[in-house]
Amino acid sequence: MNVFQEEHLLFSPANPEANAIPTIFAFPNEYTIGITSLGYQIVWSTLAMRSDVNVSRLFTDLNEPLPRNPELLGFSVSWELDYINIFDLLESLAIPLHSADRENNHPLVFGGGTVLTANPEPLADFFDVILLGDGEDLLDNFIDAYQQVRNADRQTKLRQLAQIPGVYIPSLYAVTYHNPDGAIKAIAPIAEDIPKQVQKQTYRGNTLSASTVVTEKAAWSNIFMVEVVRSCPEMCRFCLASYLTLPFRTASLSGSLIPAIQKGLQVTNRLGLLGASVTQHPEFEAILDYLSQPQYQDVRLSIASVRTNTVTEKLAATLANRDTRSITIAVESGSEKVRQIVNKKLTNEEIIQAAINAKAGGLKALKLYGMVGIPGESMADVEETVAMMSAIKKAAPGLRLTLGCSTFVPKSHTPFQWFGVNSEAKKRLKYLEKNLRKQGIDFRPESYNWSVIQALISRGDRRLGKLLQLTREYGDSVGSYKRAFKQLRGQIPPLDYYVHSQWDWNEQILPWQHIQGALPQKTLVKHLNDAMAINNEKLVIRN
């Protein structure tokens, strides 16, 4: 039996019409990873439930039988470095890498997902169409519009699709630069009938996503996932998951969450509650009460990162009784000042109380997420993180503590998008490692070098297309990127420009300036100034 036959489908695929659009929907990684992506599941099932679409799935290691002449090839992109696999899959299908090289007989290559919505520009040359934002309405609007131009030539298709809100056609926008390795001079549509800005689409309903397939082959074996909330009301100023997806939305308890959970638990006993701030659902207590019923005694419950001051003894006990041994909270720093800068509304007392409650409720471990290199952070602030972890260990003895720590990476559409990566972050990670491990606290740093590459792609413009192709040839390492920059010297800005430089909002056109996110730039600048005022810093970025 193949892996596709082992799947439990929670939807009914349509029988494709004779003239259905032959479509490939790809995830640029292995099946076990792709099928665990709720976004991928939702888009695939939406396409599969349309009788006018005949969709086949494609992963790097597996695929369903593929159409000989596909008209549409879609990619769900949720991790920056998967661009290498996108190139590989395009070549395996004999499709030119660059949109400009494709002809009428080639499929339209479209993409969506967090990476492309946040900043599509580094990959702009490789996609014909990019869908910006939530797929609930956008995907159907895109397919409906494609049906209307299905028999037209390629250029006519693209120009007509560009009229659909949230559909971005990169080739219809020209980017000019002050000089080849300088800043962007302008981003403008190539014709008057093309929108000057493309608005990210936001779904505002109260029925959120839930798994459409359950399989033991998923990275989280046999898990049924249900989205409890979307976005986050806290708005930490570095956070893409909050700012890009605003406004904060919650699933209806009786109209969406409970029916979805009931449906999922008919085929599996593993349940995952998803969202950036799950415990801030206004009826979260009722969700816990529902899952505490005797008929769900054997359910294994997992919850995404929860807000620290919502970790109650009741929550911990419910999780412990449902085969969960640990809980994860994001604290960012042990420094009150740094938390104020990023708008993390927490005190050390609340963090310590969360640990006490976790232990009292029967949990065995607590994982905290932190960050170094936040704008305005000093070495003294990093020392306060060590002191905070020591205080937690003392207050909740026997609770296994882990601090996962990343380096601040600027993200588009957030107030901190103008900042670069702090080159001192590497030393600060090493300081934390040395001082926490000797206390028996598990320290798990994210690679500083990976953070540099993440920042490069996060803040990149179209000129990175050449660089990404070169790095694929040179191998997947930081050295490959440096080698590629050296080869392209004079053709694109240096690594420091993208990664470490602080950009001035008054003078600098951002690579994603023509993409309208949830908030206008003037609001992001206000939030930035509020952050920096806490540190009494004289802003280079002026309002």
Side-chain angles (χ1 to χ4, degrees), residues 341-476:
I341 287 172
V342 301
N343 201 34
K344 177 69 76 173
K345 306 175 193 75
L346 281 180
T347 64
N348 276 16
E349 289 73 23
E350 288 173 313
I351 296 167
I352 291 168
Q353 190 61 50
I356 293 170
N357 291 347
K359 183 185 176 187
L363 293 176
K364 303 299 182 188
L366 177 68
K367 183 173 183 179
L368 301 94
Y369 277 129
M371 188 180 289
V372 295
I374 289 168
E377 175 193 79
S378 68
M379 194 60 206
D381 297 310
V382 182
E383 292 166 1
E384 287 190 42
T385 297
V386 173
M388 178 194 71
M389 295 300 295
S390 299
I392 295 171
K393 185 177 174 68
K394 184 177 179 182
L399 189 68
R400 193 170 70 253
L401 297 179
T402 299
L403 178 64
C405 196
S406 62
T407 296
F408 163 73
V409 171
K411 296 290 186 178
S412 58
H413 307 288
T414 70
F416 285 178
Q417 64 186 348
W418 290 280
F419 285 107
V421 173
N422 187 336
S423 55
E424 292 294 308
K426 195 171 187 177
K427 292 179 184 175
R428 294 175 186 179
L429 287 172
K430 288 190 178 300
Y431 174 86
L432 288 174
E433 183 170 29
K434 177 183 176 183
N435 287 277
L436 291 178
R437 286 191 172 161
K438 67 185 181 184
Q439 297 183 51
I441 295 170
D442 187 13
F443 182 65
R444 298 183 186 176
E446 191 173 271
S447 162
Y448 171 80
N449 287 341
W450 154 237
S451 297
V452 167
I453 303 310
Q454 199 181 1
L456 170 66
I457 298 174
S458 172
R459 294 175 106 199
D461 53 46
R462 290 191 189 184
R463 290 172 291 188
L464 285 191
K466 291 180 185 176
L467 182 112
L468 298 183
Q469 283 182 265
L470 279 176
T471 56
R472 176 188 176 219
E473 295 172 19
Y474 294 158
D476 183 16

Side-chain angles (χ1 to χ4, degrees), residues 88 117 231 293 295 487 517 537:
D88 289 345
T117 295
S231 194
Q293 296 178 95
Q295 66 263 39
Q487 182 164 334
E537 290 194 0

Side-chain angles (χ1 to χ4, degrees), residues 48-59:
M49 286 189 286
R50 291 186 63 127
S51 60
D52 61 347
V53 175
N54 190 352
V55 61
S56 300
R57 288 175 289 167
L58 171 65
F59 303 91

